Amino acid sequence: MDMIRVEPRCRVIIDNDWAGDPDGLVALAHHALSPANRIVGVTSSLTNPMFGPPGGMAQRGADLAAGLLRVLKRPEVSDVQAGSDAPFTGQARDNAAAHAIVDAAAAGGELSLILVCAGPLTNVADALLLDPAVAHSLTLAWVGGAAANEEEYNYFTDPAAADFVLENQQLAVWQFPAETYRQVVAPVAELDHAFRNSGPAGAWLWELYNSLEVPDFVTFGPLWCLGDSAPLVVTGLDDVTSTFTETGTRPSRRTYTSVDTRLIMADFLAKLRLHQ
């Protein structure tokens, strides 16, 4: 018996520093398994130097994302485009990630287009500089920034890019700041059990998590933050159980203040188990 048919509600471009924290790849798997969103592009950005010398990391991330999409049997979207390994300079740069975003925005379609960025905004800034019309064609759902004055990772990996993008008054932005995305946590035991018992995709993610190279001083607790999955409430799911504040201006500027962690996690784990 087939499950109730879920109709697509949006198109998505997914941008992340895939070679950084592996929660981005969990979010990518969730998007790829969600019939409510239609992936039209995947791009890879630079990583913070805390993950090692940045040279080649955008391409390494692209290779990781492409490998996961192939395991998920999504070869049509596994051509992941890498951006620059250097932060945004304010000067036009010819890179594949920026072109992929521009092309997806220009392609049009009946469904709204959401650019999900859960890393530094480098590729988004490069795309807007390459073609300012991108701002009129999509909504940016960004995991990053913080209401409190703190050194939030995604912002401070490339603050020049973040400032350039967020200052664009033509761009609709739905922001998931640190205070919100850090609410999305899962017990390590639940992830371990799910990955071990969920077919090839689960095995791929289990191997990824169990082969992480971290400094000796890094220790892990019983919870793992999956903050990059927060935008699923506006792409593969629905934000009916989330809360946000919104300015009265157009284009839309939202700041999500809470997301339904159990909705996100239950949906992801069920889809992962069903994808055998």
Side-chain angles (χ1 to χ4, degrees), residues 176 180 183 233 241-244 255-260:
F176 297 81
T180 301
Q183 299 171 13
V233 300
T241 56
S242 302
T243 61
F244 58 85
T255 300
Y256 278 81
T257 53
S258 73
V259 292
D260 190 333

Side-chain angles (χ1 to χ4, degrees), residues 171-207:
L171 179 66
V173 180
W174 297 345
Q175 186 175 359
F176 297 81
E179 295 83 358
T180 301
Y181 72 70
R182 289 174 184 162
Q183 299 171 13
V184 186
V185 294
V188 168
E190 184 176 28
L191 289 177
D192 191 27
H193 181 270
F195 292 161
R196 288 172 182 265
N197 295 279
S198 298
W204 192 97
L205 289 167
W206 190 91
E207 179 62 30

Side-chain angles (χ1 to χ4, degrees), residues 46 54 84-89 93 122 126 158:
L46 79 166
S84 174
D85 286 314
F88 182 66
T89 64
R93 297 188 291 195
T122 311
D126 280 338
D158 194 346

